[in-house]
Amino acid sequence: MADEPVVETTGLEKSYGRVKVLAGVDLRVARGSVFALLGPNGAGKTTTVRILSTLVRPDAGRARVAGFDTVRDRREVRRRISLTGQYAALDEQQTGEENLRMMGRLYGLTRRRARERAGELLERFDLAGAARRRAGTYSGGMRRRLDIAAGLVGDPEVVLLDEPTTGLDPRSRQTMWELVADLAAAGTTVLLTTQYLEEADRLAGRIALLDAGRVVADGTAADLKRRVAGRRLDLTLADAAAYGRTAELLGGRAVHRQPDRLLLGVPTDGSASHVRSLLEEIDPERDAVARFTVHEATLDDVFLALTGRAAASADRREPAGA
């Protein structure tokens, strides 16, 4: 069934020393879907992925992947997943083909089947022309594609991608997005972490927004945007003094702030009456607002509105390598 959870966590907690990285994370990922964990640095995204991939044990709570407990059934979980971290894990001295054949042998494939599987994946990821080149000579985008291909040698049920497009140029990022979409279309479940709002909006059928180790919002991109505002009224103020006064007046109602552009954004339903009412409240003398625009709310609005405190707090950052 399409809505059957293939990844499920309940009350996950994890601390490193005095830093509590996860403070009760609940997730449900449907089979064959793309699910995004979105959040600022230190929100707990990588730690969640490491628990799901059996690399880290939670202090409390439970995680299940493909029906198996990540602590009690580690071996069964590992047989059913693929993990691609932020940096490609390849043998740079081996060719692309040799890397994939080696992975095939590690998965228990015969030499013949490992060679066949390597050829299939090189074609699928548009790497056949570079199959006999050393991986160390590959571009960043090619290395990421080869890294994901290596994780698919064993035909996993669940693919865990931890910030898969970090450091890639726009063209390579676009290629990665197409590959992720293809994986989901073929029935593979993909759970990815990202800080790129466009990436989550583009790929994920469902998004969980993490803040300080907790899920503060969960739903489709459209659901999350409606939670903040269906639309946003952007105000460009006349000068710095007007910006300061208006920012103080709006307080937490301002879901978007760009001081360098003298711009503030507030939620609106987009109707003429509501926009007029907001303008009369904010600028009764009609000398503070230079211009205004109304547009659809974005994930940027959701991100800033729901994770602002955590993003600004240095004390809540996820420990390096955690």
Side-chain angles (χ1 to χ4, degrees):
M1 297 175 59
D3 59 353
E4 178 187 356
V6 69
V7 176
E8 188 170 15
T9 72
T10 305
L12 283 189
E13 296 184 14
K14 184 64 183 179
S15 297
Y16 294 97
R18 297 181 179 180
V19 179
K20 191 152 195 172
V21 179
L22 299 182
V25 171
D26 299 330
L27 299 173
R28 284 174 60 89
V29 180
R31 187 177 300 278
S33 67
V34 179
F35 188 99
L37 282 179
L38 182 65
N41 285 334
K45 303 186 300 295
T46 294
T47 297
T48 301
V49 168
R50 290 185 174 183
I51 289 173
L52 292 174
S53 59
T54 77
L55 297 177
V56 170
R57 291 186 175 219
D59 297 333
R62 186 182 185 187
R64 293 176 64 82
V65 177
F68 296 95
D69 188 277
T70 59
V71 174
R72 188 179 62 248
D73 308 311
R74 295 173 65 193
R75 180 170 295 182
E76 294 298 332
V77 170
R78 290 179 177 181
R79 287 176 176 172
R80 289 162 175 79
I81 67 170
S82 165
L83 170 64
T84 299
Q86 297 176 25
Y87 305 99
L90 303 168
D91 185 335
E92 296 188 355
Q93 299 306 311
Q94 293 195 81
T95 67
E97 182 181 18
E98 288 169 343
N99 268 281
L100 296 185
R101 289 170 63 181
M102 177 184 68
M103 289 301 300
R105 295 294 286 160
L106 291 174
Y107 272 106
L109 303 182
T110 64
R111 291 183 185 276
R112 179 178 178 179
R113 182 55 189 147
R115 183 171 60 253
E116 292 173 347
R117 185 63 173 151
E120 294 167 2
L121 291 168
L122 289 166
E123 288 287 346
R124 180 177 180 183
F125 285 81
D126 195 23
L127 292 169
R132 298 187 178 181
R133 281 173 45 193
R134 286 191 304 108
T137 69
Y138 283 16
S139 67
M142 292 170 68
R143 289 165 60 86
R144 296 300 283 166
R145 298 205 305 273
L146 182 61
D147 200 24
I148 293 178
L152 295 179
V153 169
D155 198 21
E157 291 183 48
V158 179
V159 174
L160 305 172
L161 302 177
D162 190 15
E163 300 194 15
T165 60
T166 296
L168 296 186
D169 61 74
R171 186 180 301 276
S172 296
R173 185 173 299 149
Q174 178 71 35
T175 299
M176 288 298 303
W177 290 352
E178 292 171 359
L179 291 174
V180 171
D182 288 345
L183 286 174
T188 303
T189 304
V190 180
L191 187 149
L192 65 90
T193 73
T194 184
Q195 295 185 67
Y196 295 116
L197 303 173
E198 182 185 4
E199 186 162 276
D201 205 353
R202 177 82 168 269
L203 293 176
R206 199 166 187 88
I207 299 167
L209 189 59
L210 290 181
D211 180 21
R214 296 182 184 276
V215 176
V216 297
D218 181 0
T220 67
D223 291 338
L224 298 184
K225 293 171 189 176
R226 282 193 294 268
R227 175 169 174 171
V228 173
R231 295 181 181 178
R232 193 179 79 196
L233 173 65
D234 277 356
L235 308 168
T236 300
L237 284 304
D239 52 40
Y243 178 90
R245 292 194 305 271
T246 306
E248 184 176 0
L249 171 68
L250 292 172
R253 292 165 60 194
V255 296
H256 185 75
R257 297 171 183 254
Q258 285 186 267
D260 58 325
R261 295 178 56 194
L262 301 178
L263 190 148
L264 292 166
V266 292
T268 177
D269 62 14
S271 67
S273 60
H274 191 240
V275 170
R276 188 182 305 114
S277 175
L278 285 171
L279 290 172
E280 289 175 354
E281 174 196 354
I282 293 167
D283 189 16
E285 303 298 325
R286 301 188 179 183
D287 59 0
V289 177
R291 59 183 178 275
F292 66 89
T293 58
V294 177
H295 63 82
E296 297 295 325
T298 68
L299 279 184
D300 295 66
D301 301 319
V302 177
F303 190 92
L304 292 170
L306 299 181
T307 71
R309 290 188 299 275
S313 173
D315 293 334
R316 292 181 176 179
R317 289 179 181 172
E318 198 168 1

